[in-house]
Amino acid sequence: MNNNKNWWRDSIGYIIYPESFKDSNGDGIGDIQGIISKLDYLHDLGVNLLWICPLFDSPMDDNGYDVSDYYRINPRFGTNEDFKTLLEEAHRRDIRILIDFVLNHTSDEHPWFQMALRNENSKERGYYFFRKGKRDENGELLPPNNWKGFFATSAWKQVEGSDDFYLHIFSEKMPDVNWGNPELRERYYEIARFYLDMGVDGFRLDALAHLAKDLSFSDSDKEADASGLVLDTDKFSNRPELFAYLAEFKEKVFSHYDCLTVGEVGGEISPQNSLLFSDREKGSINMVFNFDTVWDNGAYGSIDKTDEEIRTNLIELKQNFKKWYDVCHEHADMPLYWCNHDHPRVLSQYGDVRFRNESAKMLLTTLLFMYGTPFIYNGDEIGMSNVRWEKPEDFYGDVGNKNSVKYWRRQGYSEEEIVRFLNRSSRINARTPFQWENAPYAGFSNVEPFERVNDNYKEGVNALDEMNDPWSIINFSQYAIYKRRLPEIKEIIDKGSWDILDIRHPDVFAYMHEYNGQRLIVVSNFRPYNVFFSFYYRIHDVILHNYDNVLLDDHVFTLRPFECFLLKV
Ligand code: NOJ
Ligand code: CA
């Protein structure tokens, strides 16, 4: 195992969504033994850090982000013993493991919440936010305020048989916990120590931005939606108390372990403010995931747009990467990712299924060689893409989508419009079973899986067929990761300067690292057609390329669809 201090700077991360990764026991659901059976595959790919989405006991309202027992592995996924075996087997292969730690809410089935509901005077009542509802002029009971949650409903749910409500900024089965309560905080520190003592290498900290709320619980005065609710993230994001909680977490727990902490901070934070979390000296965690580079094709909130209107705004995408790099790289470690289990497939987002091979390789190369710790989402290495779903109910595996469908129907959107939008934006797209081979159910399971398998596994989009093809995405990925981990390449990326070349070019993402007279350049065409790019450097080495000849004439590259290079110049 690489025991260097700050080992994550040498890591290539890989995100596993356990439910859909590999089923080992024939119940149609991915599980821990399934992950163990694929550790050699991951090791061969070259990744050495796994972020595994939640594995803990849960009624699965939000697919494991609703935890009902932090100390117990969800029986769907295996046992606590299986989890320990996973840790040992991963470590034996020099692979480290981050678990997904949900701090903002529990399941409503968690014993803390059950006690809080049963007994108003219990200490657990103080672990959550209970407030009285308001009466309107007709005497009707309304939620305490107009806050809307992330899953398309009011952020409040009435307690049955009472005029109390509890706060839930995600699903109503996920009550928010009160980080202002010192005892609650201690309960989370105990859980963290439990797993660190067991040997986990760190945490992906879920929904971290939201731990502190505006405790006045006053109405938002921002513009309301058609039902009078406001999704005003300022009311529960990145508020000052949050940083005090995290400083305490660091002091009491993180600083005592050699562990990596990666917070999900979402879309509302500026690079400057992100340093409040992850500044190497003053911050409390190691790095943060932002969302700024995820939706630069305009798919987010695009229900009124036609498919033709969805197009990658490459200038914006480049500017977003640059603004984070410019502010952060001297002060903080940074993760790199295209998408995760909360987004559609990157290949459908920024690539093109008509150029599956070229665009998957291009996207990997562009991401992998930037400054930071890359995280590859499972399946991207074999070119998995979005599914063509047919009806709104096909998206009901996601509680957020399910609520949204109801909302849009009330707003009068047609079934076609809803499906068109969710086909391009739903996170269900990233959660279909992993395609291992051209066998029933793509070799994910020997029975019908919990979720539909993308049929394209029959057309070569599966790991086994990919491994057998020398020009495949997976073989390219393996080679690219190998190159990325070479000390001489890493040094240029880690220590050199980085800049985007011709940032106003609408179609080409090109960047350069420079260190000690060495220059590393990536040139990537983000379009499904030929584009031109001026190039004034002398090429010393073509390290990676996704076509087999080079069209460079008098300082002008002709870049074919999704063509990309990694060059030494
Ligand atoms: C972020 C997680 O990645 C997502 O899947 C989940 O729905 C929310 N946090 C709530 O926990
Ligand atoms: Ca299973």
Side-chain angles (χ1 to χ4, degrees):
M1 190 105 91
N2 169 1
N3 283 320
N4 293 345
K5 194 168 163 353
N6 305 326
W7 44 264
W8 50 88
R9 293 185 197 149
D10 302 331
S11 299
I12 306 291
Y14 186 91
I15 308 168
I16 292 188
Y17 188 71
E19 197 175 31
S20 60
F21 194 59
K22 173 69 186 161
D23 175 24
S24 73
N25 63 346
D27 62 0
I29 301 166
D31 48 55
I32 295 177
Q33 287 296 343
I35 301 175
I36 295 172
S37 73
K38 295 298 178 188
L39 286 172
D40 285 332
Y41 166 88
L42 297 170
H43 182 258
D44 290 348
L45 181 61
V47 300
N48 55 356
L49 172 64
L50 307 180
W51 150 21
I52 306 179
C53 292
L55 289 168
F56 310 102
D57 212 358
S58 162
M60 301 298 277
D61 184 58
D62 186 21
N63 305 61
Y65 284 92
D66 47 323
V67 180
S68 53
D69 184 349
Y70 290 93
Y71 291 101
R72 181 168 182 246
I73 293 294
N74 189 337
R76 286 162 77 85
F77 297 141
T79 62
N80 286 31
E81 280 314 305
D82 290 333
F83 181 68
K84 286 185 189 153
T85 310
L86 170 63
L87 276 180
E88 279 161 28
E89 291 294 320
H91 288 166
R92 222 158 53 78
R93 293 167 176 82
D94 286 337
I95 296 175
R96 293 187 182 257
I97 294 200
L98 299 184
I99 57 173
D100 208 321
F101 196 9
V102 187
L103 305 174
N104 178 69
H105 42 266
T106 66
S107 162
D108 63 343
E109 297 181 29
H110 194 289
W112 299 341
F113 190 72
Q114 287 299 313
M115 176 57 87
L117 273 186
R118 273 200 308 275
N119 182 351
E120 282 186 33
N121 300 317
S122 61
K123 62 180 193 317
E124 285 82 358
R125 186 83 173 188
Y127 289 6
Y128 297 89
F129 298 102
F130 286 88
R131 292 292 180 280
K132 293 271 173 237
K134 290 193 298 210
R135 298 264 165 207
D136 69 8
E137 56 275 18
N138 306 320
E140 210 188 311
L141 189 63
L142 301 175
N145 63 31
N146 66 356
W147 296 4
K148 184 176 177 174
F150 289 108
F151 288 171
T153 63
S154 163
W156 297 94
K157 165 86 179 158
Q158 187 179 354
V159 177
E160 243 179 67
S162 123
D163 56 5
D164 288 335
F165 287 71
Y166 64 84
L167 181 73
H168 64 88
I169 64 173
F170 293 95
S171 129
E172 63 179 45
K173 281 186 67 60
M174 293 149 78
D176 283 51
V177 294
N178 176 7
W179 271 74
N181 180 311
E183 190 178 294
L184 180 279
R185 297 202 296 274
E186 286 298 333
R187 306 298 283 261
Y188 277 102
Y189 303 158
E190 282 158 22
I191 300 164
R193 289 190 200 104
F194 175 80
Y195 284 104
L196 290 166
D197 289 337
M198 189 187 288
V200 307
D201 300 289
F203 305 106
R204 181 266 187 179
L205 300 162
D206 182 66
L208 193 65
H210 310 305
L211 301 194
K213 332 276 173 187
D214 175 354
L215 295 177
S216 76
F217 292 110
S218 55
D219 276 340
S220 168
D221 47 22
K222 297 195 179 149
E223 198 185 320
D225 71 5
S227 52
L229 298 172
V230 188
L231 178 54
D232 181 353
T233 51
D234 289 345
K235 298 284 186 192
F236 40 75
S237 306
N238 305 311
R239 301 182 67 87
E241 304 79 14
L242 165 64
F243 301 101
Y245 304 149
L246 292 180
E248 185 183 85
F249 209 152
K250 178 184 178 185
E251 184 212 317
K252 294 200 169 181
V253 184
F254 303 146
S255 61
H256 302 277
Y257 296 86
D258 173 24
C259 65
L260 169 62
T261 46
V262 192
E264 184 203 28
V265 305
E268 307 300 326
I269 198 148
S270 65
Q272 201 61 50
N273 285 344
S274 80
L275 296 175
L276 295 169
F277 290 93
S278 56
D279 182 283
R280 290 191 191 106
E281 260 90 66
K282 291 181 237 128
S284 300
I285 62 169
N286 299 111
M287 39 176 129
V288 298
F289 281 114
N290 75 79
F291 294 177
D292 287 359
T293 50
V294 176
W295 292 107
D296 281 317
N297 66 341
Y300 188 79
S302 64
I303 191 156
D304 294 311
K305 288 191 186 157
T306 63
D307 286 342
E308 290 65 44
E309 289 172 89
I310 299 299
R311 184 171 200 266
T312 302
N313 183 339
L314 191 68
I315 297 179
E316 192 176 287
L317 180 69
K318 290 187 279 187
Q319 283 168 339
N320 281 336
F321 273 111
K322 183 171 160 55
K323 86 176 183 206
W324 277 87
Y325 173 85
D326 284 350
V327 173
C328 295
H329 85 281
E330 277 182 18
H331 308 285
D333 291 345
M334 296 167 67
L336 295 164
Y337 78 119
W338 279 127
C339 289
N340 60 32
H341 66 292
D342 287 334
H343 310 107
R345 286 273 169 193
V346 65
L347 193 123
S348 305
Q349 186 93 338
Y350 294 147
D352 190 323
V353 290
R354 293 168 302 170
F355 297 95
R356 187 182 303 277
N357 185 295
E358 295 80 1
S359 61
K361 291 174 179 175
M362 181 283 282
L363 288 165
L364 179 82
T365 307
T366 310
L367 188 79
L368 203 58
F369 290 87
M370 283 193 259
Y371 169 86
T373 302
F375 283 84
I376 298 167
Y377 185 63
N378 64 188
D380 288 351
E381 76 277 19
I382 58 166
M384 285 179 67
S385 52
N386 287 356
V387 180
R388 279 266 134 210
W389 309 89
E390 282 130 33
K391 49 186 191 311
E393 289 72 18
D394 291 343
F395 300 92
Y396 279 15
D398 173 8
V399 56
N401 284 177
K402 192 173 174 182
N403 292 342
S404 298
V405 167
K406 289 186 204 149
Y407 176 78
W408 291 317
R409 280 182 176 152
R410 285 199 305 272
Q411 302 313 310
Y413 284 100
S414 69
E415 302 293 279
E416 291 71 37
E417 284 169 318
I418 294 173
V419 172
R420 178 188 69 182
F421 171 59
L422 287 175
N423 265 328
R424 71 167 84 107
S425 64
S426 172
R427 57 187 186 169
I428 290 284
N429 285 304
R431 299 177 175 195
T432 59
F434 194 103
Q435 295 159 210
W436 290 105
E437 56 184 300
N438 187 358
Y441 313 119
F444 162 76
S445 174
N446 50 23
V447 300
E448 191 173 345
F450 73 98
E451 183 61 270
R452 177 173 144 187
V453 184
N454 194 328
D455 279 341
N456 62 19
Y457 76 86
K458 296 173 191 153
E459 292 141 33
V461 186
N462 68 72
L464 191 59
D465 285 350
E466 277 272 309
M467 286 191 264
N468 290 331
D469 167 7
W471 300 108
S472 67
I473 303 163
I474 199 167
N475 284 315
F476 181 94
S477 302
Q478 189 187 36
Y479 186 63
I481 293 170
Y482 160 75
K483 288 287 179 187
R484 178 64 169 82
R485 291 180 65 180
L486 288 176
E488 60 270 27
I489 301 252
K490 247 188 64 58
E491 182 174 49
I492 302 175
I493 297 175
D494 288 352
K495 299 190 182 154
S497 62
W498 181 77
D499 211 351
I500 296 187
L501 306 177
D502 196 358
I503 195 160
R504 305 293 313 164
H505 197 299
D507 308 313
V508 175
F509 196 152
Y511 61 76
M512 177 164 80
H513 298 276
E514 216 169 345
Y515 178 67
N516 261 351
Q518 305 183 78
R519 292 192 186 122
L520 210 54
I521 289 190
V522 168
V523 180
S524 297
N525 176 10
F526 267 68
R527 302 297 175 202
Y529 43 79
N530 287 5
V531 304
F532 301 104
F533 186 70
S534 312
F535 193 80
Y536 295 98
Y537 302 92
R538 181 197 294 265
I539 298 175
H540 295 315
D541 191 10
V542 178
I543 305 172
L544 294 171
H545 185 203
N546 60 354
Y547 277 77
D548 55 13
N549 58 344
V550 179
L551 306 183
L552 176 62
D553 186 20
D554 194 18
H555 302 300
V556 177
F557 266 128
T558 300
L559 296 170
R560 287 153 287 187
F562 299 101
E563 185 163 3
C564 86
F565 294 95
L566 172 67
L567 305 167
K568 259 217 167 127
V569 299

